[in-house]
Amino acid sequence: DIQMTQSPSSLSASVGDRVTISCRASQSISSYLSWYQQIPGKAPKLLIYAASSLQSGVPSRFSGAESGTDFTLTISSLEPEDFATYYCQQSSTTPYTFGQGTKLEIK
Amino acid sequence: QVQLVESGGGVVQPGRSLRLSCAASGFTFSNYAMHWVRQAPGRGLEWLALMSYDGNKKYYRDSVKGRFTISRDNSKNTLYLQMNSLRVEDTAVYYCARDSGLRGLDQWGQGALVTVSS
């Protein structure tokens, strides 16, 4: 199975901060990488697909990038509603594995 | 609007079976591959299974292969997950999700809680 390693596992930041979350694949996944946001008690929400494409309706402060097997999710200026847990997921090869998650908390 | 609604969750004893349903509306269900994903209490997301739009292809994670079966009825716009030989570690919220075709899961249900306990 392809392992997805996210870092950091948790992050404290303030409204207005720029934050970056990383995800590394254990082997090549091309651009088959998605990012999700999950608020406690709610279903995940797709933010980014194909590594860097913004899902319809998602604010432009969210962006994704890739470099080989390394992927990043950047939030350019945190809003109060962005404090949540973020997951990456590869969809190159089944099983479509998720990263372990990054919990973004208010500082 | 697009809607996915899971049902069939509940409390079940270890070794027993349960079938989850996911009723789809607001889109052409038969055009989309569908997934099941679960989340154990306080844990991360775990992908379980994928079924192609026409039901001809199925894929599973190893830990549920042979115990869980994904299926769909396109005439009823419904996805299913038959879970047999349930274990305590299968306790989780189970989500169905739509594959966007660009390989992101773009629509999710609200989740169905399955508790496996004696």
Side-chain angles (χ1 to χ4, degrees):
Chain A
D1 297 359
I2 297 175
Q3 306 303 315
M4 305 301 294
T5 304
Q6 268 185 253
S7 61
S9 56
S10 64
L11 177 59
S12 293
S14 302
V15 172
D17 284 354
R18 178 185 180 92
V19 299
T20 297
I21 298 168
S22 298
C23 182
R24 173 170 289 175
S26 60
Q27 64 189 72
S28 174
I29 59 170
S30 188
S31 297
Y32 293 116
L33 190 285
S34 301
W35 289 98
Y36 302 87
Q37 176 194 64
Q38 187 178 33
I39 294 167
K42 300 292 187 181
K45 173 186 175 183
L46 178 64
L47 300 175
I48 300 285
Y49 63 92
S52 59
S53 296
L54 191 67
Q55 174 68 359
S56 176
V58 173
S60 60
R61 62 181 180 274
F62 292 92
S63 64
E66 66 173 300
S67 176
T69 58
D70 292 329
F71 300 84
T72 57
L73 172 71
T74 298
I75 310 172
S76 59
S77 180
L78 280 171
E79 296 287 343
E81 61 267 28
D82 299 337
F83 293 94
T85 300
Y86 294 84
Y87 295 92
C88 61
Q89 184 204 21
Q90 67 81 19
S91 51
S92 171
T93 307
T94 57
Y96 288 174
T97 41
F98 288 90
Q100 77 274 22
T102 295
K103 186 174 184 179
L104 178 54
E105 299 174 305
I106 300 174
K107 184 183 287 185
Chain B
Q1 73 283 16
V2 172
Q3 203 168 11
L4 297 171
V5 179
E6 298 94 341
S7 60
V11 180
V12 62
Q13 293 179 326
R16 303 297 291 262
S17 299
L18 206 61
R19 188 178 82 158
L20 301 181
S21 300
C22 170
S25 60
F27 66 102
T28 305
F29 180 69
S30 59
N31 286 353
Y32 290 86
M34 297 292 295
H35 300 254
W36 286 101
V37 175
R38 71 182 177 186
Q39 186 168 37
R43 305 294 296 273
L45 300 171
E46 182 176 59
W47 180 88
L48 294 178
L50 161 65
M51 173 162 268
S52 61
Y53 70 98
D54 58 2
N56 285 339
K57 296 180 182 177
K58 308 176 188 183
Y59 305 89
Y60 301 92
R61 71 176 301 108
D62 283 349
S63 63
V64 304
K65 203 176 295 183
R67 297 192 301 126
F68 290 10
T69 302
I70 188 172
S71 63
R72 65 193 296 161
D73 185 336
N74 285 345
S75 69
K76 295 183 178 178
N77 293 335
T78 302
L79 179 74
Y80 302 99
L81 185 67
Q82 176 68 42
M83 302 184 292
N84 298 332
S85 302
L86 282 162
R87 305 167 181 169
V88 171
E89 55 266 32
D90 294 320
T91 294
V93 174
Y94 286 72
Y95 296 100
C96 63
R98 187 179 81 169
D99 191 308
S100 70
L102 294 165
R103 301 209 184 172
L105 278 58
D106 68 338
Q107 298 291 337
W108 294 66
Q110 84 288 353
L113 177 62
V114 173
T115 302
V116 184
S117 174
S118 54

